[in-house]
Amino acid sequence: MQPRILPSTLLLATALVGTISSGHGQQAPARPALPGAPTRVAGRLTGTVTDGANGKPVSYASVAVLDAAGTPVNGGVCGDDGKFVLPGIPPGTYTIKVSFLGYQDITRPGVVVPAAGGVVALGTLPMTAAAQKLGEVVVVAQKPLIEEKVDRTVYNAENDQTTRGGDATDVMKRVPLLSVDLDGNVSLRGSSNIRVLINNKPSTIAANSIADALKQIPADQIKSVEVITSPSAKYDAEGSGGIINIVTKQNNLRGGQLGVDASVGTRSANLGLNGSYRTGKMGFSLGGFGRAGYNTPGSFSNDQLITNVDPTNGTRNQTRTTQAADTRQNQLFGRYTFGWDYDIDKHNSLAASVSYGTRNATNYQDALATNTALVTSSGAPTTSTRNVKTTDESGTVDASLNYTHTYEVEQRELSVLTLFSRNNRTYNFNNDIYAASDASRTGISGNDNLSSNQELTAQIDYQTPTVKNQLLELGVKDIKRTVNSDYSYYGQLTQPNNSFNYNQNVASGYVAYTMSLPKGFTLKPGVRYEYTTISADFGQGAVGNIPNYGVLVPSVNLSRKLANGNVLKLAYNRRIQRPSLQFLNPNVQASNPLIQTQGNPELSPEYTNNYEVGYSTALKGANLNFSGFVRNTTGSIQSVRTPITDAPTVNTPLGLTYFPGAVYITYQNIGNEDAYGGSVFVSKNSGSKFSVNGGVDGYYAVLNNGITDVDRAAKNEGFVVSGRLFGSYALTKVWGLQAFAFYRGRQVQLQGFQSGFGIYSLSVKRDFAEKRGSFGIGAENFFTSGINIRNEITSPLLVQNSTNVLHNMSFKVNISYRIGKLTVDQRPRNRKGVNNDDLKEGGDNGGGGLGGDTGAQGGGGGQGGGGARQGGGRPAGAPGARPATAAPRADTTRTAPAVVPAGGAVQPDGTVAPAATPALIPGAGTPTGLPAAPDPANAPVPATTTPADSSKTKPATPAQKTTVPVGTPSPGTTSPGGITPAGSPGGRP
């Protein structure tokens, strides 16, 4: 830990204590008391909802507090133990209504909260079973687009129609805290050291390129995106910037369904088929998705000045090179999934899934003209013109088999998780030099690189309650990785052919403990230990000494829920970042021979300390979230650029072939990176017709490569600001309008800057066939012909200015339709997944691509790019994924309810579920204005009665409904079992 970080830590801790001491309600402003008027203090209602037949608690039952006019003034959802706590109730007389699917409503009038406040105990509220067969489910409102929780931000992508017909990259641009460049590379709070999971599961394809992996996931199948900024000890130690978990849509209902999604536009087209079937104890899911990208013209220009220093006499000679080309690219992505799950009995279940992802991308630089000349010489310049073609093809298989055993003791659980993942990739480039000032330089040359990355993972997790309101979690995990890269050269490239083999094994264990403390405090400390063994060799020679190493990774999350429901948190965690194949691969990437990039097999991991403070509140009908962070990274893996000598007899990375003005790039653990920043997010929901939300993320970056040589030393610092704005409006019951805008500010790089850019879109959707189908029209950047991205690099030996132009104005139409009949499956489901979040991913260059500087190679999305990483997660509807509408949770054996209470509730992972406008579910008996009942797929089975058939009866629209702020913090509903862990990851590592 760097000493200079300590004052920041003390400052954050002081802020936490100070806010706790001065915390006060931020509800609607209270009227000033009249002289002589008695003091009125808000009260608190408590109680326990049980099954009247057996006395067992009814988990997740909805509780509403209604005034004399029948208007809801407060409400919430019971925990796993059936208990509820509703604070902030003004003095008066109220009617309490309790409801849950399969039970008759409870109505208790005449509940008095005295003027002196205090606790009003309602005792036990028994419910009588009245099961019904579900008919059509009519939702009169939807979840908020953004939910702020204790350890994560959740973006509900299913509510955003502007991404339809797109892929996961389009979704990421809309998620708070994330920034996405034009090549699809994602960063979190300025750090590209992130890990992307699909339904809490990894895939080897992400070890090559996150950007390409995201392009394989259709936006229409993404339910939500979770940005986890303070992972607990359950997660692998990797991912120093944080973890992004993509939750896909899935079905836990009985019966079968088939969905079709298709879109076509001026830049891309896609087709998706998704089906599922569930009967008895068994369920199946099958999905297929294909996406084609086309008609993406662009241009590329580069101007660089190289200073060569003669080592014998110190003489400096400068060489100037200019380049220009037209660019284009074609891309084809596919993803195919199959899932199966089986409930053996009440306490044992199996889940399995298989998925295959493929990509085929081709990038072109047409008529790349190069002009190189000595600045101090009047001689003729060296010129050449070439066509450059880069192909990138990959296929990825992911297969998992998981077993879960639960016990009679609530929250006690054992799970055994396994995963096999393999990515095969071919990355080739071909240069056709058809004109040159030196005729001997004409001809064809290139490089073929075949690589593979395989992972075998086994994991065992166990959790159990110890004493009241405390939970112990522990587990062990082993990841065995095998990486291979075979590369060969032809034509004018005389580098010897070779191969690279890299074997890595990561054995780890963790323990975490959750404690609920007095006055609303929750503490969750944890520690994880990982030991890494490495062996590596070349086909024609040994690799230098690569030592084995162990690392101890602590984490702690502290949160306090104030009396008014606002939430304050403080978190610390230490993370590491192992280098992935992109940084290790010794194959020289030189599709542009002036930028020659080579990996370093002897790299060590990076180490990062993260500090975070956050505060969530509601003000005048709007939800506000504030967060601040400090991040310090040592041993940062950074690129090192050096000019290649102008002596033709020197053996360059490409053999004896010399290219005047060329730059050699490799990677070393030489950097220190510090970032200090914060974010603000605001959301406002005016009923079910209109909603708007937006946010700003900013940080101050300080970069230093730590080199003392004045010619190679580099440091830089500056502010980086990004923002987004989203709005939606329901024109009618079937017509809707949505708009989105995103701006990515100027990026601070070690040796320069990259310019910012903006994206905006507008879409209109119409539902038909009782919302089984929809038709939409969308447009993006319709007033902008193209986007210019400028890269500026300045150092004593290299000055470079490059520009990539991408024409991305686009229009598209999309259509979707669902067929099938579904009924309620009330058995709670427990599915786990494997998370291998332990590799430093590629940034601008893609995986294994080692493609050099993006700015110099780019054009039309750049020439980098690695093997597309198929998401690696469970397919939509597959077992083992988080229930599609459930709030994230990890510390309970029961799946969380699908619908969030109107006032919000503390969930089993210690997060605060935000409010949503009410929904009406037939047969559930939901009181007017109450939050919707929990998802029946996750509900406990009520006492058996003969169901009344209501499947042919459509529910009437409720007479009234309440409007609450989107994402309002919970007024105080207890968590299941009384445990409210902070920073719980919401899924298995």
Side-chain angles (χ1 to χ4, degrees):
M1 186 184 304
Q2 297 297 317
R4 65 180 178 275
I5 299 301
L6 184 58
S8 301
T9 309
L10 296 177
L11 179 61
L12 295 180
T14 303
L16 176 68
V17 175
T19 309
I20 291 171
S21 301
S22 60
H24 58 83
Q26 296 193 23
Q27 313 279 338
R31 297 182 180 181
L34 296 175
T39 302
R40 296 168 61 85
V41 180
R44 179 187 300 258
L45 297 178
T46 65
T48 303
V49 180
T50 64
D51 186 316
N54 54 31
K56 293 184 177 181
V58 177
S59 305
Y60 313 125
S62 298
V63 183
V65 182
L66 311 178
D67 61 15
T71 302
V73 298
N74 205 324
V77 170
C78 299
D80 259 351
D81 52 6
K83 295 180 180 179
F84 63 89
V85 178
L86 303 176
I89 310 296
T93 302
Y94 301 96
T95 297
I96 308 301
K97 282 194 174 183
V98 182
S99 66
F100 188 71
L101 180 67
Y103 290 88
Q104 297 178 5
D105 292 349
I106 296 177
T107 301
R108 177 172 290 189
V111 176
V112 178
V113 176
V119 177
V120 178
L122 301 179
T124 300
L125 304 175
M127 302 191 75
T128 302
Q132 289 184 323
K133 179 182 176 182
L134 261 189
E136 181 182 5
V137 176
V138 179
V139 179
V140 300
Q142 62 185 10
K143 294 175 67 176
L145 188 67
I146 306 293
E147 299 181 64
E148 290 292 347
K149 304 197 174 185
V150 170
D151 67 334
R152 69 193 66 199
T153 296
V154 181
Y155 170 78
N156 291 309
E158 61 181 344
N159 295 348
D160 184 357
Q161 299 300 320
T162 61
T163 61
R164 300 197 62 184
D167 55 39
T169 304
D170 301 302
V171 176
M172 294 297 172
K173 295 173 184 176
R174 290 147 170 82
V175 181
L177 307 180
L178 300 186
S179 180
V180 185
D181 67 15
L182 288 181
D183 291 330
N185 299 301
V186 181
S187 60
L188 169 57
R189 289 174 169 170
S191 174
S192 60
N193 296 335
I194 58 176
R195 186 60 167 169
V196 174
L197 307 175
I198 312 296
N199 296 324
N200 289 304
K201 296 204 307 181
S203 172
T204 53
I205 199 170
N208 290 329
S209 174
I210 288 177
D212 292 333
L214 296 177
K215 294 174 184 176
Q216 294 187 18
I217 307 172
D220 298 339
Q221 288 302 311
I222 297 177
K223 177 150 188 81
S224 62
V225 177
E226 300 174 348
V227 181
I228 306 172
T229 56
S230 54
S232 74
K234 281 182 162 184
Y235 284 98
D236 291 340
E238 292 273 351
S240 57
I243 296 172
I244 300 173
N245 183 37
I246 299 175
V247 181
T248 60
K249 297 176 181 177
Q250 67 164 349
N251 169 48
N252 284 330
L253 300 180
R254 292 178 182 268
Q257 72 165 0
L258 177 66
V260 180
D261 296 279
S263 73
V264 61
T266 56
R267 306 292 185 195
S268 64
N270 72 270
L271 175 65
L273 296 173
N274 288 278
S276 64
Y277 181 76
R278 178 172 297 281
T279 179
K281 296 182 178 182
M282 193 174 299
F284 303 90
S285 65
L286 183 66
F289 169 75
R291 176 176 170 82
Y294 47 81
N295 188 29
T296 52
S299 62
F300 161 70
S301 63
N302 179 42
D303 184 340
Q304 65 186 39
L305 180 66
I306 299 294
T307 300
N308 292 310
V309 181
D310 190 325
T312 60
N313 56 23
T315 303
R316 294 175 179 256
N317 297 314
Q318 291 186 320
T319 302
R320 180 175 294 278
T321 300
T322 59
Q323 292 183 302
D326 292 326
T327 63
R328 55 194 170 95
Q329 60 181 227
N330 297 317
Q331 301 184 74
L332 185 64
F333 301 92
R335 183 169 183 255
Y336 315 95
T337 61
F338 174 77
W340 169 83
D341 67 275
Y342 178 68
D343 293 327
I344 302 172
D345 54 35
K346 177 182 178 182
H347 292 295
N348 298 278
S349 61
L350 288 173
S353 67
V354 178
S355 63
Y356 179 76
T358 182
R359 84 180 293 266
N360 188 330
T362 306
N363 290 276
Y364 301 89
Q365 287 182 317
D366 298 324
L368 173 62
T370 303
N371 185 306
T372 303
L374 287 173
V375 175
T376 57
S377 173
S378 59
T382 300
T383 62
S384 67
T385 306
R386 73 189 68 207
N387 290 325
V388 181
K389 178 182 178 181
T390 304
T391 59
D392 194 348
E393 302 173 351
S394 76
T396 302
V397 175
D398 295 297
S400 66
L401 177 62
N402 306 328
Y403 166 76
T404 302
H405 174 74
T406 60
Y407 299 82
E408 292 294 341
V409 177
E410 191 73 13
Q411 294 188 302
R412 181 173 295 171
E413 180 179 286
L414 173 69
S415 59
V416 180
L417 317 172
T418 61
L419 172 68
F420 169 83
S421 183
R422 182 179 176 88
N423 169 253
N424 293 321
R425 176 172 175 259
T426 301
Y427 184 90
N428 304 328
F429 71 81
N430 178 280
N431 284 340
D432 181 8
I433 306 174
Y434 59 87
S437 56
D438 182 357
S440 64
R441 290 299 183 96
T442 59
I444 296 177
S445 60
N447 165 233
D448 295 334
N449 184 198
L450 282 71
S451 63
S452 65
N453 190 347
Q454 178 176 295
E455 289 185 1
L456 292 172
T457 304
Q459 176 177 327
I460 300 176
D461 296 290
Y462 178 76
Q463 68 176 40
T464 182
T466 53
V467 297
K468 183 178 180 181
N469 296 343
Q470 298 188 23
L471 185 72
L472 172 67
E473 301 165 279
L474 49 87
V476 294
K477 182 176 183 179
D478 189 81
I479 307 172
K480 180 178 176 57
R481 291 192 176 92
T482 304
V483 178
N484 174 264
S485 176
D486 295 319
Y487 45 93
S488 60
Y489 305 85
Y490 58 89
Q492 298 181 21
L493 306 183
T494 58
Q495 166 80 350
N497 301 336
N498 209 335
S499 63
F500 173 62
N501 302 297
Y502 189 87
N503 299 296
Q504 181 187 85
N505 191 87
V506 181
S508 60
Y510 76 89
V511 60
Y513 200 78
T514 303
M515 296 174 286
S516 291
L517 304 175
K519 298 185 178 181
F521 282 96
T522 299
L523 177 65
K524 184 171 186 177
V527 64
R528 185 182 189 93
Y529 181 78
E530 297 187 350
Y531 189 78
T532 304
T533 57
I534 300 173
S535 63
D537 64 83
F538 292 120
Q540 300 178 11
V543 178
N545 181 36
I546 304 178
N548 303 328
Y549 58 90
V551 59
L552 188 67
V553 183
S555 66
V556 60
N557 288 272
L558 174 66
S559 68
R560 188 190 181 191
K561 188 165 183 244
L562 305 178
N564 58 5
N566 297 343
V567 175
L568 182 67
K569 76 165 184 178
L570 181 66
Y572 164 78
N573 59 75
R574 180 168 171 81
R575 313 283 291 168
I576 69 172
Q577 196 72 43
R578 297 181 182 89
S580 64
L581 179 60
Q582 170 183 339
F583 299 95
L584 301 170
N585 194 351
N587 177 47
V588 179
Q589 291 293 320
S591 57
N592 183 344
L594 296 187
I595 307 293
Q596 302 176 22
T597 307
Q598 186 176 33
N600 179 4
E602 299 183 41
L603 288 173
S604 299
E606 303 174 345
Y607 294 88
T608 299
N609 292 300
N610 291 301
Y611 310 83
E612 182 178 0
V613 61
Y615 184 69
S616 299
T617 186
L619 180 65
K620 295 184 178 179
N623 181 54
L624 293 86
N625 177 266
F626 306 90
S627 66
F629 74 94
V630 174
R631 182 178 65 244
N632 167 246
T633 300
T634 58
S636 173
I637 298 174
Q638 296 181 350
S639 59
V640 179
R641 293 175 171 86
T642 56
I644 296 177
T645 178
D646 57 359
T649 59
V650 174
N651 189 27
T652 72
L654 293 177
L656 294 177
T657 304
Y658 169 64
F659 296 91
V663 174
Y664 174 65
I665 301 176
T666 188
Y667 303 97
Q668 295 181 16
N669 294 98
I670 59 175
N672 290 319
E673 298 182 7
D674 296 331
Y676 313 86
S679 63
V680 178
F681 181 80
V682 181
S683 61
K684 173 76 172 179
N685 186 8
S686 300
S688 60
K689 295 282 290 184
F690 174 75
S691 68
V692 62
N693 56 72
V696 177
D697 314 320
Y699 64 93
Y700 188 80
V702 181
L703 311 176
N704 190 336
N705 68 0
I707 296 179
T708 57
D709 184 342
V710 294
D711 284 335
R712 292 171 173 79
K715 61 181 179 179
N716 199 5
E717 57 187 72
F719 284 100
V720 179
V721 179
S722 299
R724 59 197 56 78
L725 182 66
F726 177 88
S728 65
Y729 185 75
L731 302 173
T732 67
K733 291 183 178 180
V734 296
W735 283 97
L737 177 69
Q738 290 189 337
F740 169 76
F742 166 77
Y743 179 74
R744 185 176 191 257
R746 186 187 72 158
Q747 303 297 299
V748 177
Q749 300 174 340
L750 178 62
Q751 294 178 308
F753 301 92
Q754 184 183 80
S755 63
F757 66 91
I759 291 177
Y760 53 90
S761 62
L762 182 68
S763 67
V764 179
K765 185 192 76 165
R766 189 190 189 282
D767 297 322
F768 61 88
E770 296 181 339
K771 294 192 175 184
R772 291 193 301 272
S774 66
F775 173 82
I777 301 175
E780 182 174 297
N781 281 30
F782 39 87
F783 291 130
T784 309
S785 60
I787 293 178
N788 294 353
I789 300 296
R790 294 179 298 277
N791 287 274
E792 303 175 6
I793 295 175
T794 303
S795 71
L797 300 181
L798 172 65
V799 177
Q800 182 185 60
N801 293 277
S802 61
T803 302
N804 289 283
V805 179
L806 179 64
H807 300 286
N808 70 334
M809 176 193 295
S810 65
F811 300 88
K812 61 185 176 182
V813 296
N814 52 72
I815 187 170
S816 64
Y817 192 77
R818 300 285 183 272
I819 60 175
K821 183 176 180 63
L822 302 172
T823 58
V824 174
D825 180 2
Q826 293 187 337
R827 294 187 306 275
R829 320 206 71 82
N830 269 320
R831 303 298 180 221
K832 304 297 181 184
V834 176
N835 301 337
N836 292 350
D837 31 35
D838 69 332
L839 290 179
K840 177 181 177 69
E841 308 298 346
D844 296 335
N845 299 327
L850 300 168
D853 182 75
T854 302
Q857 287 196 44
Q863 288 292 328
R869 179 188 175 200
Q870 188 270 341
R874 298 182 193 278
R882 188 192 314 283
T885 54
R889 51 189 293 121
D891 300 322
T892 175
T893 59
R894 191 191 300 267
T895 305
V899 182
V900 182
V906 176
Q907 299 300 311
D909 60 357
T911 63
V912 179
T917 45
L920 180 67
I921 297 183
T926 306
T928 301
L930 269 179
D935 186 344
N938 304 319
V941 180
T944 304
T945 61
T946 303
D949 191 349
S950 64
S951 59
K952 298 181 180 180
T953 305
K954 293 185 178 181
T957 302
Q960 60 182 359
K961 56 177 178 278
T962 183
T963 300
V964 295
V966 177
T968 305
S970 164
T973 303
T974 58
S975 66
I979 295 178
T980 55
S984 180
R988 286 293 181 185

